[in-house]
Amino acid sequence: MTERQKAALWWDNHINEYINDLSGYVAFPSIAEEGKDGLPFGRPCLDMLHYMKALMEKYGMKSEIISNVFASGTLKGEKETIAVACHGDVVPVDGKWDKDPFILYQKEDHLVGRGTTDNKGAGIAVLYAIRYLIESGYKFSHSINLLIGSAEEIGMRDVNIAFPNGNNALLTLVPDSGFPVAYGEKSSLKAEITIEKTNSKILKLFGGSGVGVIDEATAILTDTEGLKPNVDININGNKVTAVGKARHSATPDEGVCALRKLLCYLDENNLLDSNLKKVISSFVDFHGSGLNIAYQDKEEGPLTLVITKCETLNNIFVFTLNSRFPSSVDVKTIIESIRNTFTNINVISTSQGFKTQMNGTLQKLNNIANSVYGSSREPYVMAGGTYARAFKPAIAYGMGSPTGNAKPPFPQGEGRAHQRNESVQISRMKNGFIIYIEALKLLDKELQ
């Protein structure tokens, strides 16, 4: 029996334990809210960290809570540290789920619950890889550090609190992407545009949570008399609702923006003023074509621009925007292009993209992932933002499949990261577990 076969058999023999540990992890509604409960990111996030601290101790790591924002588990070696950074905070729950989003359950080959894909399932799988190596008698020459953060989804402010001078690791792996090696990440922009409400018949517009393509948007009108029937629109009293398909704002192409569908319907019924009409014409796709900022980079791919939230505050419509773009694009160009159409723009945050220099060791990590999956994908620059941009040097490394994740057992627009009925495929976690066993052994051998 090969080492890889032994690891696979160990996983199969411990799958019920994995599910049980992940169930406990998912049970925490760890939605980071800065300053809530008198804590950095709220009581649920801190309780989640203590759960992971205890689990790391249970499986042989010395663990601690750092500044109430990170759980840290360490295996002490003679050489410098190799780190793995995961996050236990999750995006808010929106839309109608089939079951309670914080009670894990299995559907076919998927485990369902908020955070299973992003990023709790991977965190437990990495811990099990370390547990396997401990139980099989492997002795690390380097120190191994598993980190669980609590505010990745809201800007990674937990990193500066816990590690103002960096985590001092030789390399940090971040299992919050797709395999194989993501050696860089695009730049990003988060902003708001505001439009004064001038049509007295539209009382409110709202939809989305600020994290991805809006999959349900609603307008509250003074009345709905005379509105044209439309199979894509639901009218209930004075509420008019459109349904789309959610996708992560970093990879939005398979999504359908419910807000755009709703605005187009309202326009057909002559309810939009010129300012709201601009929203329709400016966001015709997810790539900025309507604002003349569409751009494609050979290495980093296309610019994306997504409306992730709409709300109505004091007679003002507020639209939250999220853009991911190649590092060759100047963020000022994007901001000015938006400002040319929408005068009132508030920049919430910007983040510069990065690239980690590829070398022989990182190429071997790439080869390990391809070997397990039988794929041949090259290292790449990803659109999403992960802890890899906060811990340097770092790469994002799994645990998504390089050959395309299996379709979740839910309708299109559900079952993936940030979506309702979020789920993770068990076999994908098994592959990630095997890859991390081999990756940690490789790094322990090759890093100096």
Side-chain angles (χ1 to χ4, degrees):
M1 183 180 294
T2 66
E3 288 300 314
R4 187 174 291 180
Q5 289 171 330
K6 290 179 182 178
L9 180 60
W10 187 95
W11 171 274
D12 292 341
N13 290 335
H14 292 79
I15 184 58
N16 290 335
E17 294 176 54
Y18 173 87
I19 293 173
N20 183 67
D21 287 340
L22 181 57
S23 178
Y25 198 13
V26 168
F28 294 96
S30 46
I31 301 163
E33 298 181 68
E34 199 160 12
K36 186 179 180 183
D37 307 319
L39 296 166
F41 301 108
R43 173 59 61 183
C45 281
L46 182 57
D47 289 345
M48 171 272 296
L49 294 179
H50 279 282
Y51 174 82
M52 289 304 294
K53 174 182 180 293
L55 210 57
M56 288 188 282
E57 288 177 350
K58 177 181 177 181
Y59 295 134
M61 305 186 81
K62 182 179 180 181
S63 61
E64 62 178 329
I65 301 295
I66 303 175
S67 302
N68 285 341
V69 298
F70 266 91
S72 173
T74 302
L75 291 178
K76 191 65 177 175
E78 296 179 357
K79 297 182 180 180
E80 294 182 75
T81 299
I82 299 165
V84 182
C86 308
H87 69 88
D89 62 304
V90 299
V91 298
V93 173
D94 60 351
K96 297 177 181 177
W97 288 55
D98 289 358
K99 297 184 180 182
D100 188 322
F102 298 107
I103 298 178
L104 189 77
Y105 72 95
Q106 184 170 346
K107 185 172 183 179
E108 299 177 13
D109 184 33
H110 285 69
L111 299 172
V112 187
R114 176 57 93 206
T116 48
T117 284
D118 190 15
N119 178 237
K120 292 182 175 182
I124 301 293
V126 171
L127 177 57
Y128 269 49
I130 295 170
R131 176 189 173 189
Y132 170 84
L133 289 167
I134 293 171
E135 293 183 5
S136 64
Y138 183 83
K139 301 296 182 183
F140 283 99
S141 59
H142 290 81
S143 293
I144 303 297
N145 183 210
L146 176 58
L147 295 169
I148 306 293
S150 60
E152 192 268 358
E153 296 287 5
I154 62 168
M156 309 183 202
R157 290 185 284 275
D158 49 345
V159 176
N160 287 334
I161 293 172
F163 306 102
N165 300 310
N167 65 334
N168 298 316
L170 290 171
L171 179 68
T172 299
L173 303 179
V174 181
D176 196 10
S177 65
F179 282 120
V181 168
Y183 66 95
E185 296 180 2
K186 290 182 179 179
S187 301
S188 66
L189 163 70
K190 185 176 181 180
E192 292 176 343
I193 56 174
T194 57
I195 296 174
E196 184 176 355
K197 183 168 74 70
T198 60
N199 188 324
S200 60
K201 193 166 184 178
I202 303 176
L203 300 177
K204 289 184 178 181
L205 284 175
F206 58 90
S209 61
V211 295
V213 176
I214 297 173
D215 66 346
E216 185 172 294
T218 298
I220 298 181
L221 309 180
T222 53
D223 67 80
T224 55
E225 185 177 353
L227 293 184
K228 301 173 184 178
N230 188 308
V231 294
D232 289 333
I233 300 296
N234 178 56
I235 300 175
N236 184 7
N238 67 337
K239 292 174 61 177
V240 181
T241 300
V243 176
K245 295 178 181 178
R247 290 293 287 175
H248 195 291
S249 55
T251 53
D253 282 339
E254 293 183 11
V256 176
C257 181
L259 177 65
R260 178 175 169 78
K261 288 176 66 174
L262 176 64
L263 291 178
C264 287
Y265 175 74
L266 296 177
D267 190 34
E268 291 172 6
N269 286 275
N270 300 313
L271 292 176
L272 296 193
D273 60 21
S274 60
N275 285 328
L276 283 177
K277 286 177 181 285
K278 289 180 183 177
V279 178
I280 296 176
S281 61
S282 297
F283 297 93
V284 295
D285 56 25
F286 297 126
H287 298 286
S289 298
L291 293 166
N292 298 314
I293 53 174
Y295 178 78
Q296 177 83 25
D297 182 271
K298 183 177 180 181
E299 182 180 11
E300 300 185 41
L303 176 151
T304 59
L305 179 62
V306 179
I307 299 178
T308 60
K309 186 177 181 180
C310 172
E311 56 187 332
T312 308
L313 302 172
N314 299 322
N315 289 323
I316 299 291
F317 297 126
V318 182
F319 301 90
T320 301
L321 311 180
N322 189 298
S323 179
R324 313 293 173 100
F325 51 95
S327 54
S328 56
V329 176
D330 188 345
V331 67
K332 294 179 182 178
T333 301
I334 299 174
I335 294 170
E336 288 307 310
S337 295
I338 297 172
R339 185 174 281 122
N340 287 339
T341 301
F342 301 98
T343 305
N344 298 316
I345 175 173
N346 172 41
V347 176
I348 299 172
S349 64
T350 63
S351 181
Q352 181 61 40
F354 78 95
K355 295 176 187 176
T356 297
Q357 186 66 43
M358 284 295 297
N359 57 34
T361 298
L362 296 189
Q363 186 61 55
K364 289 177 182 178
L365 290 178
N366 202 81
N367 295 343
I368 288 172
N370 279 331
S371 174
V372 170
Y373 270 101
S375 57
S376 57
R377 190 173 181 189
E378 294 295 323
Y380 68 101
V381 175
M382 66 179 290
T386 75
Y387 277 145
R389 67 175 62 227
F391 295 106
K392 298 176 181 178
I395 60 166
Y397 190 57
M399 288 186 172
S401 166
T403 57
N405 295 332
K407 184 181 182 301
F410 295 100
Q412 174 69 26
E414 299 182 18
R416 301 187 187 275
H418 292 195
Q419 297 178 349
R420 66 187 71 181
N421 292 318
E422 180 180 351
S423 65
V424 69
Q425 190 181 25
I426 296 173
S427 56
R428 179 155 63 91
M429 292 296 95
K430 178 179 181 179
N431 286 336
F433 159 81
I434 293 169
I435 290 168
Y436 263 80
I437 289 170
E438 297 184 17
L440 289 173
K441 291 174 71 173
L442 172 75
L443 294 177
D444 191 44
K445 177 183 177 181
E446 296 210 352
L447 292 185
Q448 302 299 322

